[in-house]
Amino acid sequence: MTLKDKIITSKLPKHVAVIMDGNGRWAKERGYERIFGHQNGVKAVKNTVEAAAELGIGYLTLFAFSKENWCRPRSEIDALMDLMASTINSETETLIKNNIRLIIIGDLNSLPDKIVSKLREVTEATKNNTGLKLVIALSYSARWEITEAAGKIAEDYKTGKIKEVDEKLFCKYLSTAEIPDPELLIRTSGEYRLSNFLLWQIAYAELFFTKTLWPDFSKEDLYQAIINFQNRERRFGKTSEQTD
Ligand code: FPP
């Protein structure tokens, strides 16, 4: 029995979110510049997207670039932006052919224009695709997103557009308004942090940490995380007996 066969297809997480970490260390271990790690990380992105689509997972969110990542050396930022632009360019056909919809979350205003126009083009070209929804978090941070939402809510309250604020309404103001909460969050590279990622949305997500560095993350690693998820008891604040 392969690892994949052990996955119960009727119990798949609807949404898997991934903090792809460890590219820099992976490159350093091999005596290369950090960007070599990011370049090799693209292969892991492709494998993960392919595996998620094959399994029939609804949503896959990848944390590709945080707001805090803007503090990295300019050369690394530029190389990462080029890598992301060229990957999205070269993968557009594959997304379309495989019925994958691309969704971008994050502060697009802070990204270079050439990337934004490409992203708009691909999100538009794939908007009617009904298979996997691939969400890329770019120039994203959860505190930024929550603060933005709070600001817009305050404005709409002031103009009388809204009368009351509750959790359901708050969700509608987040960049993930149309996206269900992640049920499984994976972080690679042996770091046990959330790094300002989807803090509102992961309130009840199962967390899975692996020591594998992102460029080495394979389909098997994703299967392992899903099997682990499927063996957990999710109680949502209730007792074990209540969730039986
Ligand atoms: C974290 O590793 C990784 C990133 C900040 C970038 C991830 C980007 C890619 C995999 C490129 C392609 C992505 C897409 C979606 C097309 P790190 O640099 O923090 O590693 P370290 O912790 O070992 O230094």
Side-chain angles (χ1 to χ4, degrees), residues 67 104-109 111 136-141 144 175:
K67 280 203 143 284
I104 306 293
I105 59 168
D107 183 10
L108 289 192
N109 291 330
L111 289 166
I136 309 272
L138 263 178
S139 193
Y140 171 88
S141 91
W144 163 81
S175 50

Side-chain angles (χ1 to χ4, degrees), residues 127-153:
K127 75 170 185 217
N128 294 321
N129 287 356
T130 54
L132 175 72
K133 315 287 181 287
L134 171 62
V135 185
I136 309 272
L138 263 178
S139 193
Y140 171 88
S141 91
R143 286 185 176 181
W144 163 81
E145 176 188 42
I146 292 168
T147 310
E148 286 285 302
K152 285 184 202 136
I153 288 171

Side-chain angles (χ1 to χ4, degrees), residues 20-26 34 37-42 45 62-66 69 72 76 80 83-85 87-88 136 138 187 189 191 193 213-214:
M20 311 181 285
D21 196 14
N23 293 351
R25 275 163 284 167
W26 188 92
R34 299 175 52 80
H38 299 314
Q39 284 158 351
N40 281 277
V42 173
V45 169
L62 302 177
F63 200 6
F65 195 83
S66 71
N69 286 151
R72 291 195 174 192
E76 182 175 345
L80 252 176
L83 183 64
M84 280 190 269
T87 306
I88 287 160
I136 309 272
L138 263 178
R187 182 175 188 142
S189 93
E191 305 288 356
R193 286 191 289 274
L213 301 177
W214 179 250

Side-chain angles (χ1 to χ4, degrees), residues 64-159:
F65 195 83
S66 71
K67 280 203 143 284
E68 291 76 19
N69 286 151
W70 290 114
C71 300
R72 291 195 174 192
R74 192 70 240 174
S75 57
E76 182 175 345
I77 293 173
D78 290 345
L80 252 176
M81 291 296 147
D82 285 348
L83 183 64
M84 280 190 269
S86 66
T87 306
I88 287 160
N89 225 350
S90 63
E91 294 306 308
T92 306
E93 278 312 307
T94 312
L95 295 180
I96 293 170
K97 212 169 71 197
N98 291 288
N99 196 22
I100 298 172
R101 177 175 176 191
L102 181 73
I103 299 170
I104 306 293
I105 59 168
D107 183 10
L108 289 192
N109 291 330
S110 59
L111 289 166
D113 288 347
K114 61 171 186 189
I115 294 199
V116 176
S117 51
K118 185 68 210 168
L119 291 173
R120 287 200 204 289
E121 195 188 299
V122 185
T123 48
E124 185 60 28
T126 61
K127 75 170 185 217
N128 294 321
N129 287 356
T130 54
L132 175 72
K133 315 287 181 287
L134 171 62
V135 185
I136 309 272
L138 263 178
S139 193
Y140 171 88
S141 91
R143 286 185 176 181
W144 163 81
E145 176 188 42
I146 292 168
T147 310
E148 286 285 302
K152 285 184 202 136
I153 288 171
E155 255 173 52
D156 286 351
Y157 190 83
K158 219 161 57 185
T159 59

